[in-house]
Amino acid sequence: MLTLDALTLTQDDFRLTADFKIPTGTRAAVIGPSGAGKSTLLAAIAGFLTPESGGIRWQSSDLTETGPGNRPIAMLFQDNNLFPHLTAAQNVALGLRPNLRLARDETKTVSAALSRVGLADHQSRKPAQLSGGQQSRVALARVLVQSRPLILLDEPFAALGPALKAEMLDLVAELLDETNATLLMVSHDPADARRIADQTILVADGTAHPPTDTKALLDTPPEALKAYLG
Ligand SMILES: Nc1ncnc2c1ncn2[C@@H]1O[C@H](COP(=O)(O)OP(=O)(O)OP(=O)(O)O)[C@@H](O)[C@H]1O
């Protein structure tokens, strides 16, 4: 269970509140207008932004004062954060060891993760030698090797075409099936939410609302969402 306990987040004069729980294993989309605070919410959960007040708990652990690296979280941003001078295998290895000095079993873990995302034959390639979809797979493999129970994706596949994006979302869903990780995924595309997330967190008007059933929310959107969906 992820608990956001009377959380208030601020960035200059921007202010966002959140007060709800997300059961373990939930797949939640985070949607809402541009500038509403979706990335701010994820940044706070990941530990990159200190809350003004309130707390964040995972199971019974209070994470509020825990640094990003020590939270049970793996995060993926839109640009994938791949390092151009490192190979696919090295980029994945960074998820385990920032200094890239892997023990033998860790090398195997990296290989297995790259195989799992369909890149067994591309381990020595650098990002520039990979397609956009393959680069996304490397980034996903890096999330996978971290074996964290909470996965945060911030518009991870926005740069991909519709077919490739759907393929990546299906791969994420498969990986979640295998690991029972909890997912929070920011997306601007309601179709992404319908495809992968049974629950949706609406961020609008200064509030991150508790997760609700995705289909019900999108089929009968409240005013704030209706305006955004157009
Ligand atoms: N580092 C920062 N310093 C000051 N204000 C910031 C900072 N980062 C974001 N903001 C402000 O916080 C608000 C929320 O931004 P945030 O990026 O969380 O929105 P978002 O919902 O993710 O938007 P988008 O869908 O456009 O990515 C915005 O008003 C933004 O201008």
Side-chain angles (χ1 to χ4, degrees), residues 16-57:
L16 181 75
T17 60
D19 188 26
F20 55 83
K21 296 174 193 299
I22 301 174
T24 303
T26 299
R27 299 169 188 190
V30 181
I31 66 172
S34 183
K38 302 179 295 294
S39 296
T40 299
L41 180 68
L42 259 61
I45 295 170
F48 299 117
L49 176 71
T50 305
E52 187 177 282
S53 61
I56 300 172
R57 288 198 303 280

mmCIF file of all heavy atoms in Angstrom, residues 16-57:
data_model
loop_
_atom_site.group_PDB
_atom_site.id
_atom_site.type_symbol
_atom_site.label_atom_id
_atom_site.label_comp_id
_atom_site.label_asym_id
_atom_site.label_seq_id
_atom_site.Cartn_x
_atom_site.Cartn_y
_atom_site.Cartn_z
ATOM 1 N N LEU A 16 -0.219 21.683 -4.732
ATOM 2 C CA LEU A 16 -0.984 20.462 -5.024
ATOM 3 C C LEU A 16 -1.175 19.680 -3.733
ATOM 4 O O LEU A 16 -0.228 19.519 -2.956
ATOM 5 C CB LEU A 16 -0.209 19.595 -6.033
ATOM 6 C CG LEU A 16 -0.894 18.296 -6.468
ATOM 7 C CD1 LEU A 16 -2.031 18.601 -7.456
ATOM 8 C CD2 LEU A 16 0.098 17.351 -7.134
ATOM 9 N N THR A 17 -2.406 19.193 -3.507
ATOM 10 C CA THR A 17 -2.636 18.343 -2.337
ATOM 11 C C THR A 17 -3.013 16.928 -2.786
ATOM 12 O O THR A 17 -3.593 16.743 -3.869
ATOM 13 C CB THR A 17 -3.766 18.897 -1.438
ATOM 14 O OG1 THR A 17 -4.962 18.950 -2.200
ATOM 15 C CG2 THR A 17 -3.439 20.273 -0.926
ATOM 16 N N ALA A 18 -2.676 15.957 -1.949
ATOM 17 C CA ALA A 18 -3.028 14.550 -2.219
ATOM 18 C C ALA A 18 -3.224 13.856 -0.885
ATOM 19 O O ALA A 18 -2.390 14.014 0.019
ATOM 20 C CB ALA A 18 -1.918 13.860 -3.022
ATOM 21 N N ASP A 19 -4.299 13.105 -0.765
ATOM 22 C CA ASP A 19 -4.591 12.408 0.501
ATOM 23 C C ASP A 19 -5.352 11.129 0.180
ATOM 24 O O ASP A 19 -6.578 11.109 0.144
ATOM 25 C CB ASP A 19 -5.421 13.333 1.401
ATOM 26 C CG ASP A 19 -5.591 12.757 2.802
ATOM 27 O OD1 ASP A 19 -4.717 11.972 3.232
ATOM 28 O OD2 ASP A 19 -6.606 13.080 3.454
ATOM 29 N N PHE A 20 -4.614 10.066 -0.150
ATOM 30 C CA PHE A 20 -5.269 8.799 -0.478
ATOM 31 C C PHE A 20 -4.268 7.644 -0.412
ATOM 32 O O PHE A 20 -3.067 7.862 -0.248
ATOM 33 C CB PHE A 20 -5.937 8.859 -1.861
ATOM 34 C CG PHE A 20 -5.022 9.269 -2.990
ATOM 35 C CD1 PHE A 20 -4.198 8.352 -3.618
ATOM 36 C CD2 PHE A 20 -5.010 10.589 -3.438
ATOM 37 C CE1 PHE A 20 -3.374 8.724 -4.675
ATOM 38 C CE2 PHE A 20 -4.187 10.969 -4.503
ATOM 39 C CZ PHE A 20 -3.377 10.032 -5.109
ATOM 40 N N LYS A 21 -4.795 6.436 -0.529
ATOM 41 C CA LYS A 21 -3.961 5.231 -0.501
ATOM 42 C C LYS A 21 -4.091 4.500 -1.841
ATOM 43 O O LYS A 21 -5.159 4.543 -2.462
ATOM 44 C CB LYS A 21 -4.436 4.293 0.604
ATOM 45 C CG LYS A 21 -4.298 4.868 2.007
ATOM 46 C CD LYS A 21 -4.949 3.900 3.002
ATOM 47 C CE LYS A 21 -5.159 4.499 4.378
ATOM 48 N NZ LYS A 21 -3.961 4.925 5.071
ATOM 49 N N ILE A 22 -3.015 3.824 -2.232
ATOM 50 C CA ILE A 22 -3.041 3.023 -3.449
ATOM 51 C C ILE A 22 -2.658 1.590 -3.058
ATOM 52 O O ILE A 22 -1.516 1.344 -2.644
ATOM 53 C CB ILE A 22 -2.044 3.562 -4.497
ATOM 54 C CG1 ILE A 22 -2.385 5.017 -4.839
ATOM 55 C CG2 ILE A 22 -2.052 2.690 -5.746
ATOM 56 C CD1 ILE A 22 -1.367 5.673 -5.743
ATOM 57 N N PRO A 23 -3.593 0.641 -3.148
ATOM 58 C CA PRO A 23 -3.274 -0.730 -2.744
ATOM 59 C C PRO A 23 -2.146 -1.326 -3.586
ATOM 60 O O PRO A 23 -2.008 -1.007 -4.776
ATOM 61 C CB PRO A 23 -4.591 -1.477 -2.986
ATOM 62 C CG PRO A 23 -5.647 -0.433 -3.009
ATOM 63 C CD PRO A 23 -4.985 0.800 -3.556
ATOM 64 N N THR A 24 -1.361 -2.201 -2.960
ATOM 65 C CA THR A 24 -0.275 -2.897 -3.651
ATOM 66 C C THR A 24 -0.821 -3.630 -4.878
ATOM 67 O O THR A 24 -1.865 -4.273 -4.805
ATOM 68 C CB THR A 24 0.372 -3.912 -2.683
ATOM 69 O OG1 THR A 24 0.802 -3.198 -1.533
ATOM 70 C CG2 THR A 24 1.551 -4.622 -3.314
ATOM 71 N N GLY A 25 -0.095 -3.531 -5.977
ATOM 72 C CA GLY A 25 -0.493 -4.221 -7.204
ATOM 73 C C GLY A 25 -1.403 -3.414 -8.106
ATOM 74 O O GLY A 25 -1.703 -3.835 -9.222
ATOM 75 N N THR A 26 -1.810 -2.227 -7.633
ATOM 76 C CA THR A 26 -2.669 -1.364 -8.462
ATOM 77 C C THR A 26 -1.891 -0.874 -9.683
ATOM 78 O O THR A 26 -0.687 -0.635 -9.612
ATOM 79 C CB THR A 26 -3.129 -0.132 -7.634
ATOM 80 O OG1 THR A 26 -3.876 -0.580 -6.524
ATOM 81 C CG2 THR A 26 -3.975 0.826 -8.477
ATOM 82 N N ARG A 27 -2.605 -0.728 -10.802
ATOM 83 C CA ARG A 27 -2.030 -0.067 -11.978
ATOM 84 C C ARG A 27 -2.834 1.199 -12.198
ATOM 85 O O ARG A 27 -3.984 1.134 -12.617
ATOM 86 C CB ARG A 27 -2.151 -0.947 -13.203
ATOM 87 C CG ARG A 27 -1.407 -2.238 -13.022
ATOM 88 C CD ARG A 27 -1.740 -3.220 -14.095
ATOM 89 N NE ARG A 27 -1.139 -4.478 -13.759
ATOM 90 C CZ ARG A 27 -1.065 -5.507 -14.571
ATOM 91 N NH1 ARG A 27 -1.588 -5.429 -15.791
ATOM 92 N NH2 ARG A 27 -0.484 -6.619 -14.184
ATOM 93 N N ALA A 28 -2.245 2.321 -11.880
ATOM 94 C CA ALA A 28 -2.981 3.578 -11.935
ATOM 95 C C ALA A 28 -2.379 4.513 -12.978
ATOM 96 O O ALA A 28 -1.167 4.737 -12.996
ATOM 97 C CB ALA A 28 -2.972 4.260 -10.570
ATOM 98 N N ALA A 29 -3.243 5.032 -13.849
ATOM 99 C CA ALA A 29 -2.830 6.113 -14.738
ATOM 100 C C ALA A 29 -2.967 7.419 -13.973
ATOM 101 O O ALA A 29 -3.804 7.531 -13.072
ATOM 102 C CB ALA A 29 -3.711 6.135 -15.973
ATOM 103 N N VAL A 30 -2.124 8.396 -14.312
ATOM 104 C CA VAL A 30 -2.210 9.737 -13.725
ATOM 105 C C VAL A 30 -2.485 10.680 -14.883
ATOM 106 O O VAL A 30 -1.636 10.836 -15.767
ATOM 107 C CB VAL A 30 -0.892 10.113 -13.007
ATOM 108 C CG1 VAL A 30 -1.001 11.500 -12.393
ATOM 109 C CG2 VAL A 30 -0.538 9.075 -11.945
ATOM 110 N N ILE A 31 -3.699 11.235 -14.919
ATOM 111 C CA ILE A 31 -4.043 12.093 -16.046
ATOM 112 C C ILE A 31 -4.562 13.446 -15.546
ATOM 113 O O ILE A 31 -4.944 13.580 -14.374
ATOM 114 C CB ILE A 31 -5.079 11.449 -16.992
ATOM 115 C CG1 ILE A 31 -6.427 11.265 -16.313
ATOM 116 C CG2 ILE A 31 -4.585 10.128 -17.532
ATOM 117 C CD1 ILE A 31 -7.501 10.813 -17.286
ATOM 118 N N GLY A 32 -4.570 14.424 -16.442
ATOM 119 C CA GLY A 32 -5.037 15.754 -16.076
ATOM 120 C C GLY A 32 -4.392 16.794 -16.974
ATOM 121 O O GLY A 32 -3.439 16.491 -17.697
ATOM 122 N N PRO A 33 -4.896 18.022 -16.902
ATOM 123 C CA PRO A 33 -4.415 19.077 -17.788
ATOM 124 C C PRO A 33 -2.922 19.347 -17.645
ATOM 125 O O PRO A 33 -2.323 19.030 -16.609
ATOM 126 C CB PRO A 33 -5.212 20.309 -17.332
ATOM 127 C CG PRO A 33 -6.374 19.786 -16.576
ATOM 128 C CD PRO A 33 -5.950 18.477 -15.992
ATOM 129 N N SER A 34 -2.328 19.945 -18.675
ATOM 130 C CA SER A 34 -0.933 20.332 -18.646
ATOM 131 C C SER A 34 -0.710 21.335 -17.514
ATOM 132 O O SER A 34 -1.509 22.250 -17.329
ATOM 133 C CB SER A 34 -0.573 20.959 -19.997
ATOM 134 O OG SER A 34 0.777 21.271 -20.010
ATOM 135 N N GLY A 35 0.330 21.128 -16.740
ATOM 136 C CA GLY A 35 0.637 22.034 -15.635
ATOM 137 C C GLY A 35 -0.162 21.757 -14.376
ATOM 138 O O GLY A 35 -0.046 22.480 -13.388
ATOM 139 N N ALA A 36 -0.984 20.698 -14.387
ATOM 140 C CA ALA A 36 -1.842 20.412 -13.222
ATOM 141 C C ALA A 36 -1.052 19.834 -12.049
ATOM 142 O O ALA A 36 -1.496 19.904 -10.901
ATOM 143 C CB ALA A 36 -2.964 19.451 -13.615
ATOM 144 N N GLY A 37 0.110 19.237 -12.334
ATOM 145 C CA GLY A 37 0.941 18.734 -11.239
ATOM 146 C C GLY A 37 1.228 17.241 -11.278
ATOM 147 O O GLY A 37 1.659 16.662 -10.277
ATOM 148 N N LYS A 38 1.030 16.605 -12.424
ATOM 149 C CA LYS A 38 1.249 15.147 -12.525
ATOM 150 C C LYS A 38 2.718 14.791 -12.259
ATOM 151 O O LYS A 38 3.012 13.895 -11.469
ATOM 152 C CB LYS A 38 0.818 14.657 -13.918
ATOM 153 C CG LYS A 38 -0.637 14.970 -14.240
ATOM 154 C CD LYS A 38 -1.036 14.507 -15.619
ATOM 155 C CE LYS A 38 -0.332 15.209 -16.750
ATOM 156 N NZ LYS A 38 -0.659 16.662 -16.866
ATOM 157 N N SER A 39 3.621 15.526 -12.921
ATOM 158 C CA SER A 39 5.049 15.246 -12.717
ATOM 159 C C SER A 39 5.480 15.614 -11.308
ATOM 160 O O SER A 39 6.335 14.941 -10.712
ATOM 161 C CB SER A 39 5.899 16.018 -13.730
ATOM 162 O OG SER A 39 5.613 15.575 -15.029
ATOM 163 N N THR A 40 4.861 16.663 -10.769
ATOM 164 C CA THR A 40 5.170 17.076 -9.397
ATOM 165 C C THR A 40 4.820 15.958 -8.422
ATOM 166 O O THR A 40 5.590 15.638 -7.506
ATOM 167 C CB THR A 40 4.372 18.358 -9.047
ATOM 168 O OG1 THR A 40 4.768 19.395 -9.956
ATOM 169 C CG2 THR A 40 4.609 18.806 -7.626
ATOM 170 N N LEU A 41 3.669 15.335 -8.638
ATOM 171 C CA LEU A 41 3.240 14.232 -7.764
ATOM 172 C C LEU A 41 4.243 13.082 -7.825
ATOM 173 O O LEU A 41 4.674 12.562 -6.786
ATOM 174 C CB LEU A 41 1.844 13.754 -8.190
ATOM 175 C CG LEU A 41 1.267 12.612 -7.376
ATOM 176 C CD1 LEU A 41 0.949 13.066 -5.949
ATOM 177 C CD2 LEU A 41 -0.005 12.040 -8.044
ATOM 178 N N LEU A 42 4.634 12.695 -9.047
ATOM 179 C CA LEU A 42 5.586 11.587 -9.178
ATOM 180 C C LEU A 42 6.938 11.942 -8.576
ATOM 181 O O LEU A 42 7.582 11.116 -7.925
ATOM 182 C CB LEU A 42 5.743 11.180 -10.649
ATOM 183 C CG LEU A 42 4.950 9.928 -11.038
ATOM 184 C CD1 LEU A 42 3.470 10.134 -10.845
ATOM 185 C CD2 LEU A 42 5.259 9.465 -12.442
ATOM 186 N N ALA A 43 7.365 13.209 -8.782
ATOM 187 C CA ALA A 43 8.661 13.639 -8.242
ATOM 188 C C ALA A 43 8.671 13.535 -6.715
ATOM 189 O O ALA A 43 9.676 13.145 -6.110
ATOM 190 C CB ALA A 43 8.963 15.066 -8.686
ATOM 191 N N ALA A 44 7.543 13.870 -6.098
ATOM 192 C CA ALA A 44 7.479 13.795 -4.633
ATOM 193 C C ALA A 44 7.508 12.339 -4.169
ATOM 194 O O ALA A 44 8.196 11.999 -3.200
ATOM 195 C CB ALA A 44 6.215 14.485 -4.137
ATOM 196 N N ILE A 45 6.779 11.478 -4.876
ATOM 197 C CA ILE A 45 6.764 10.059 -4.480
ATOM 198 C C ILE A 45 8.160 9.454 -4.644
ATOM 199 O O ILE A 45 8.622 8.679 -3.814
ATOM 200 C CB ILE A 45 5.710 9.284 -5.297
ATOM 201 C CG1 ILE A 45 4.302 9.792 -4.965
ATOM 202 C CG2 ILE A 45 5.807 7.781 -5.024
ATOM 203 C CD1 ILE A 45 3.211 9.260 -5.875
ATOM 204 N N ALA A 46 8.857 9.887 -5.723
ATOM 205 C CA ALA A 46 10.204 9.352 -5.971
ATOM 206 C C ALA A 46 11.249 9.949 -5.043
ATOM 207 O O ALA A 46 12.344 9.413 -4.929
ATOM 208 C CB ALA A 46 10.590 9.629 -7.427
ATOM 209 N N GLY A 47 10.927 11.071 -4.399
ATOM 210 C CA GLY A 47 11.863 11.656 -3.446
ATOM 211 C C GLY A 47 12.684 12.803 -4.003
ATOM 212 O O GLY A 47 13.629 13.261 -3.371
ATOM 213 N N PHE A 48 12.336 13.291 -5.203
ATOM 214 C CA PHE A 48 13.069 14.415 -5.783
ATOM 215 C C PHE A 48 12.529 15.761 -5.320
ATOM 216 O O PHE A 48 13.132 16.795 -5.560
ATOM 217 C CB PHE A 48 13.025 14.349 -7.317
ATOM 218 C CG PHE A 48 13.649 13.099 -7.865
ATOM 219 C CD1 PHE A 48 12.900 12.182 -8.584
ATOM 220 C CD2 PHE A 48 14.987 12.828 -7.638
ATOM 221 C CE1 PHE A 48 13.470 11.024 -9.076
ATOM 222 C CE2 PHE A 48 15.575 11.673 -8.130
ATOM 223 C CZ PHE A 48 14.815 10.758 -8.852
ATOM 224 N N LEU A 49 11.355 15.741 -4.707
ATOM 225 C CA LEU A 49 10.734 16.975 -4.221
ATOM 226 C C LEU A 49 10.268 16.741 -2.786
ATOM 227 O O LEU A 49 9.538 15.786 -2.511
ATOM 228 C CB LEU A 49 9.529 17.311 -5.116
ATOM 229 C CG LEU A 49 8.705 18.522 -4.704
ATOM 230 C CD1 LEU A 49 9.495 19.810 -4.950
ATOM 231 C CD2 LEU A 49 7.394 18.569 -5.497
ATOM 232 N N THR A 50 10.722 17.594 -1.874
ATOM 233 C CA THR A 50 10.339 17.444 -0.466
ATOM 234 C C THR A 50 8.956 18.054 -0.241
ATOM 235 O O THR A 50 8.732 19.202 -0.633
ATOM 236 C CB THR A 50 11.361 18.162 0.435
ATOM 237 O OG1 THR A 50 12.655 17.645 0.121
ATOM 238 C CG2 THR A 50 11.075 17.920 1.910
ATOM 239 N N PRO A 51 8.026 17.307 0.361
ATOM 240 C CA PRO A 51 6.693 17.861 0.608
ATOM 241 C C PRO A 51 6.753 19.040 1.576
ATOM 242 O O PRO A 51 7.608 19.071 2.470
ATOM 243 C CB PRO A 51 5.933 16.700 1.257
ATOM 244 C CG PRO A 51 6.735 15.486 1.012
ATOM 245 C CD PRO A 51 8.152 15.920 0.816
ATOM 246 N N GLU A 52 5.827 19.974 1.387
ATOM 247 C CA GLU A 52 5.735 21.072 2.345
ATOM 248 C C GLU A 52 5.141 20.556 3.654
ATOM 249 O O GLU A 52 5.549 20.946 4.738
ATOM 250 C CB GLU A 52 4.864 22.192 1.772
ATOM 251 C CG GLU A 52 4.877 23.422 2.632
ATOM 252 C CD GLU A 52 4.075 24.532 1.996
ATOM 253 O OE1 GLU A 52 4.605 25.167 1.070
ATOM 254 O OE2 GLU A 52 2.918 24.730 2.417
ATOM 255 N N SER A 53 4.162 19.673 3.518
ATOM 256 C CA SER A 53 3.619 19.021 4.714
ATOM 257 C C SER A 53 3.032 17.674 4.314
ATOM 258 O O SER A 53 2.845 17.381 3.135
ATOM 259 C CB SER A 53 2.535 19.898 5.356
ATOM 260 O OG SER A 53 1.484 20.098 4.448
ATOM 261 N N GLY A 54 2.754 16.856 5.321
ATOM 262 C CA GLY A 54 2.212 15.529 5.067
ATOM 263 C C GLY A 54 3.304 14.495 4.885
ATOM 264 O O GLY A 54 4.494 14.811 5.018
ATOM 265 N N GLY A 55 2.911 13.265 4.616
ATOM 266 C CA GLY A 55 3.890 12.193 4.543
ATOM 267 C C GLY A 55 3.593 11.193 3.436
ATOM 268 O O GLY A 55 2.492 11.158 2.878
ATOM 269 N N ILE A 56 4.624 10.383 3.126
ATOM 270 C CA ILE A 56 4.504 9.335 2.107
ATOM 271 C C ILE A 56 4.964 8.028 2.752
ATOM 272 O O ILE A 56 6.066 7.965 3.319
ATOM 273 C CB ILE A 56 5.402 9.655 0.891
ATOM 274 C CG1 ILE A 56 4.983 10.988 0.265
ATOM 275 C CG2 ILE A 56 5.336 8.526 -0.136
ATOM 276 C CD1 ILE A 56 5.923 11.479 -0.814
ATOM 277 N N ARG A 57 4.112 7.010 2.698
ATOM 278 C CA ARG A 57 4.489 5.708 3.261
ATOM 279 C C ARG A 57 4.345 4.618 2.212
ATOM 280 O O ARG A 57 3.457 4.654 1.365
ATOM 281 C CB ARG A 57 3.594 5.360 4.453
ATOM 282 C CG ARG A 57 3.869 6.171 5.702
ATOM 283 C CD ARG A 57 3.271 5.507 6.945
ATOM 284 N NE ARG A 57 1.845 5.280 6.843
ATOM 285 C CZ ARG A 57 0.926 6.214 7.056
ATOM 286 N NH1 ARG A 57 1.283 7.445 7.361
ATOM 287 N NH2 ARG A 57 -0.357 5.931 6.941
#
